[in-house]
Amino acid sequence: MFCVVTAWGDLVTDTLAEKLVRMQRIALLRICRAYRTASTASLQICTGLLPLDLESIRWRLRAKIKRGASFKLYGVAFWEGDNKRQALERVETLLFDPWQERWLATSKGEATKRFFPRIANRIEKDFIELDHYVSQFLTGHGDFSYRLHAFRLVVSPLCSCGADETDRHVLLVCERLEASSVELRECCQLVLNKLKTMSWSNFEKSSLP
């Protein structure tokens, strides 16, 4: 679709931008294997994928730079003879600013914001592998009694330990899961310690726990 964005890029209105993001949501849900109640903004952050309307701008600017045509669009200026590599890098950086503004402005994605208050926090962590269970904690939309109770799917919002069973409670607080939490933290620390002492080539050959 974006291979011809230079032909239709000028026609992207606010309405079309919203439609692009709605189209993207379908793919995001499948990538994350998340529940449909998770917000699109959260899913974009969890996957580290630009909102589709911004992605269309990215493709359009990159195409213009590669052709060597002079232009000034969306805060990016490129003139004939400029360094193309540097210009392409500016495009990649530029589009994170409006995305970050949207992320800060939205009232949705409270759980995701606890993990990734800034989009750069997520982009840097490219080792995260999304699945149905990881997505539940990253989005806060999962099989937690507190949330299920809000949808009248369970009788009580409480954990068996007596506190509200939220994603945060299960992950960080619940005494019933303390042993598992300690084991998880120790495993994560072991992996981090190994990463600090390994080169990338050795990392690829290793079998981390």
Side-chain angles (χ1 to χ4, degrees):
M1 178 173 69
F2 288 132
C3 60
V4 292
V5 71
T6 51
W8 55 265
D10 291 332
L11 304 177
V12 177
T13 61
D14 290 342
T15 301
L16 180 55
E18 291 177 3
K19 289 183 178 180
L20 287 172
V21 173
R22 286 201 297 270
M23 289 169 54
Q24 184 184 27
R25 176 176 173 79
I26 299 171
L28 293 174
L29 284 168
R30 295 193 176 188
I31 293 171
C32 293
R33 300 178 67 185
Y35 285 112
R36 288 182 296 175
T37 51
S39 71
T40 302
S42 286
L43 297 174
Q44 289 165 341
I45 300 298
C46 289
T47 56
L49 296 176
L50 272 172
L52 213 53
D53 59 314
L54 296 180
E55 184 68 26
S56 69
I57 293 173
R58 174 178 172 271
W59 275 69
R60 184 183 177 199
L61 295 178
R62 286 176 61 87
K64 285 182 173 292
I65 291 171
K66 289 180 179 180
R67 287 206 311 270
S70 298
F71 69 89
K72 187 174 182 179
L73 287 171
Y74 304 108
V76 175
F78 179 81
W79 311 114
E80 187 175 350
D82 284 357
N83 186 295
K84 291 184 178 181
R85 181 183 295 275
Q86 292 178 357
L88 291 172
E89 290 175 354
R90 288 201 303 273
V91 169
E92 299 299 324
T93 304
L94 169 79
L95 295 176
F96 277 95
D97 292 336
W99 188 14
Q100 181 66 51
E101 290 175 6
R102 294 183 190 182
W103 183 228
L104 293 175
T106 183
S107 59
K108 300 179 179 180
E110 180 182 348
T112 309
K113 284 181 179 178
R114 288 200 298 268
F115 288 100
F116 311 119
R118 300 194 61 79
I119 296 170
N121 300 142
R122 171 62 182 94
I123 302 302
E124 292 166 358
K125 296 175 175 59
D126 56 359
F127 54 82
I128 295 176
E129 295 185 9
L130 296 172
D131 61 27
H132 178 61
Y133 302 102
V134 171
S135 294
Q136 288 186 55
F137 285 102
L138 292 183
T139 64
H141 290 249
D143 300 323
F144 309 112
S145 293
Y146 186 80
R147 182 165 292 277
L148 295 177
H149 182 260
F151 292 107
R152 299 184 179 181
L153 296 175
V154 296
V155 176
S156 171
L158 302 181
C159 174
S160 58
C161 71
D164 286 338
E165 190 185 75
T166 63
D167 57 298
R168 185 178 179 84
H169 171 77
V170 172
L171 188 62
L172 301 174
V173 180
C174 186
E175 296 178 357
R176 181 173 56 90
L177 300 172
E178 178 62 23
S180 298
S181 296
V182 170
E183 182 180 355
L184 176 61
R185 287 194 292 270
E186 290 176 349
C187 182
C188 289
Q189 189 60 54
L190 177 62
V191 171
L192 289 173
N193 291 339
K194 283 191 175 183
L195 289 175
K196 290 178 181 178
T197 59
M198 292 170 58
S199 66
W200 178 248
S201 58
N202 290 333
F203 170 72
E204 289 181 316
K205 297 176 183 178
S206 70
S207 55
L208 294 173

